[in-house]
Each structure stands twice: as structure tokens, then as C-alpha cells.
Amino acid sequence: MSAEEIISGVLSSPSVFKDKTKLYPEYVPEKLPHREKQLRLLAQSFKPLIYSPGESMQKVIMIGGYGTGKTVTARVFGRSFSILAKRHGLCVKYVHVNCYKARTMPQVLHTVARGLGITLPQRGLSAQEMLRGIMDELERRNMHAIIALDEFDYFVTANAGSAPIYTLVRAYDDELTREKRIHLIFISRTTRVLQALDPATSTFFMRNLIHFTPYTAAELFDILKERAELAFHEGVIDDDVIRYIAMLEGVDREGSGSARTALEILVRAGESADSCGRGRVTLEDVRRAHVLVKPELAMLQDTIEALTTHQLLLLLATVKALKRSKKPFVRIGDVEREYRMLCENYGERPRKHTQVYTYIMDMRNMKVVQTRTSGRGFRGKSTLVGISNAPLDMLETRIEEMLNRRLG
């Protein structure tokens, strides 16, 4: 068969999916099975914003492990609360900040400002001045903001001491009579993050704490069943297949209890059916997907989603250079050469060496790659780059998917 015939055959072959995006981590569903209690607690905490707006600053901290629904619950709450607030004549805007990416106070405040449509100078203002500018603009527009700081652990770690956090939670202390228009949701995987704060600040957080526990197999079945109906064509996946995935990951069956991992297995099982040209998702597809979907790779998804386009290109270049060399580490120069070729392929202008080095160091700090100085087995002194937290083939596929979504 010619290349054209092969490609044409793939493009024209039917798929079990009608909308694969319904299984992606960034999809925000209309319903949240088994997170109704947490939604009610959020609503109770923010109820004063509706009936006595401006009188107090609402603050909540959400605690739970990976894949327990914290992020999606916050997003669903923010979307729904904003709609309901409008019916009460109140303008409320929800802004979600990923603190894995925005770790400093200025980065957080710039992200918040962009989410609210507020323009702040890129330089020249202190964090306090930036916060004051946002508060003034909210007042001018007669708006309220609910700001969710996701992966809050990283913000605390990156900001030694409690000063930046204290600045946020006590934003209105100097002006007690001013309307409180900034409200906060903190999202963290563990309460240990509070131990890094001073007693006054940590006590502040403990007043409104919402816990998220790992999902059981029965709970995961409900979640997967609902998403499968949205993502797959009718009749291509049986309940037994969905139940098998739920059993593999349910916390009561010694699984991770992570909905994120269970959904990852479901989407990979569907892809397995497509690649084999079958019109149904089988248990064998699930077994194949379960081997492929490692928890560490699913968790890495959150990290690589936060990377810039050129960081993703560099990560892909690292993967390709490592695969070619078949060694645990490669020189940064080899990565940079691969990166420049990828930039040409994707129609991007490559960054200069200094910026490339900075990107590599940033990804090292985010634990996406590892670096060390060359020694035995390498000529001269050079920075070496490696990856040990995911299989290279799977990581390569994931990065390419993300780049294709971003760059078309």
C-alpha cells in the first residue's frame, strides 16, 4: 500500500469516540457524582457573598489527594456560582490559578488580573501595589472575584515564610470598612502545607476546610459511566468494561482512588479499540491501557500542562535525543539541536541558548527533567539532561498530542 492509501485508510476508519474531549482532564462537566457534599459546603461558605456582599472576605481550603476531584469541583462551583450570583444582581467572576506554574505573588496576581480582564504594568509595581490595583479596579467595576489557587503547596514552598500568603488572606485588614471583593479558594493535596505557615495564618485556614477522599470502585463506576455516555458512540462500550476499570482503580479494591487515572485508562482503552479497527471497547483494550497508564505519567499530566509551548518543544527534544542515544543522559547541546529542528517543523522561532538553558533549569526545578554535570564517559564539561519519571514512548506521544492541540 502507498503512504497515501495507508493514511487515507486511517482517516476514513470509524472511531468508537464521538467526543474524546469529554474524557480529558480539562473538561468541566455539568454534574459531579459523589462530590455533592463538597459543593454544598462550598455554597454554604460563599452564601454570605450573595446575601451580604462586601461585608466579609470568604476563604476556603480544599484538601485531597491526586484525582479526588478538587480542581473540577472548584471549577464547577465557580462557573455555577457566577451564574446564580448574576440572577441576584451581583457580578462575580471566577479565576483559576495553577500555582505549579505561577509560584510567586507577582505571577499569581498577573494571572488573576488577566483572568479578570484587568491590565497591570509588567514591571515597577510591588505585590502590594498590584493587589491594591486589582482591588481598586474591582470596586470601580462593581465586581467580586473568587480566586482559586490550585496546587497551593507549590506556592507555599516557593514563598519562604507566610508574608505573601498573609498579604492575600489579610488584604482588607488595613481598610476594615472597605467592601470585600476578593474571595479565595485554596486547593492543596495535604494539610501538611499549613505547617509551613505561622500559627496566625494557619489558624485562619483551618476555619473552613473541605476534605476530598479517594473514590471507591462504585463511585468511579458512576463517574466513568456518565463520561462514557458523552464520549463514546452508543453501544461501543459495555458496563462490564467500565466496571472493570472502576475495580482496578477503586480505593476499596486497593487502587489509587483517582478519577483522573481511571479516565486516562478509559480514553486509552478507546484508542486501543480504534487502533485495532474494532467497533467496540473490550476488556483486552482495558488491560492494554492499564499497562500503559502509569500513575506517575497521569500525575505528570498536570505538570506538563503548565509548561509553555517552547518548554514542551524542549521536553520533546529531550525525549527524542534520549531515545536516539539510548543512554540515561544526553548533552544539552544535543537537546538544543533537536529542539531547533522541532521548531522548524512546528513553525516556531527557536529561542537563544541562554533562554533554552533557563527553560531546562525551570523544568528541572519542576522535576520534569533531571540534570547533572558531565563526567566519566563524556568529553569536556557539559550539562547533561535526562528523564526518569515516565516511559519515553508514552511521554513522546503525550507531548505531541499537546503540541498539536496548541499549534494546530
Side-chain angles (χ1 to χ4, degrees), residues 135-207:
M135 292 163 61
D136 291 343
E137 190 62 19
L138 286 172
E139 196 164 298
R140 189 185 72 79
R141 298 184 187 186
N142 193 24
M143 283 175 56
H144 289 259
I146 296 177
I147 301 166
L149 298 183
D150 205 350
E151 301 286 7
F152 182 56
D153 319 54
Y154 294 102
F155 182 80
V156 174
T157 302
N159 294 271
S162 303
I165 301 149
Y166 197 82
T167 298
L168 272 178
V169 299
R170 299 282 189 174
Y172 291 97
D173 276 14
D174 293 336
E175 300 177 74
L176 295 177
T177 58
R178 186 173 188 174
E179 283 195 43
K180 284 67 175 178
R181 295 179 178 272
I182 291 178
H183 312 276
L184 301 167
I185 297 175
F186 300 93
I187 304 173
S188 175
R189 295 188 185 184
T190 172
T191 54
R192 285 197 298 272
V193 67
L194 303 179
Q195 296 171 8
L197 307 176
D198 63 64
T201 308
S202 61
T203 301
F204 214 78
F205 281 106
M206 294 300 291
R207 293 174 188 166

Side-chain angles (χ1 to χ4, degrees), residues 331-345:
R331 292 179 184 272
I332 194 171
D334 296 333
V335 172
E336 191 166 358
R337 278 190 290 274
E338 190 77 44
Y339 161 73
R340 293 186 182 283
M341 287 190 287
L342 286 170
C343 284
E344 184 175 345
N345 293 341

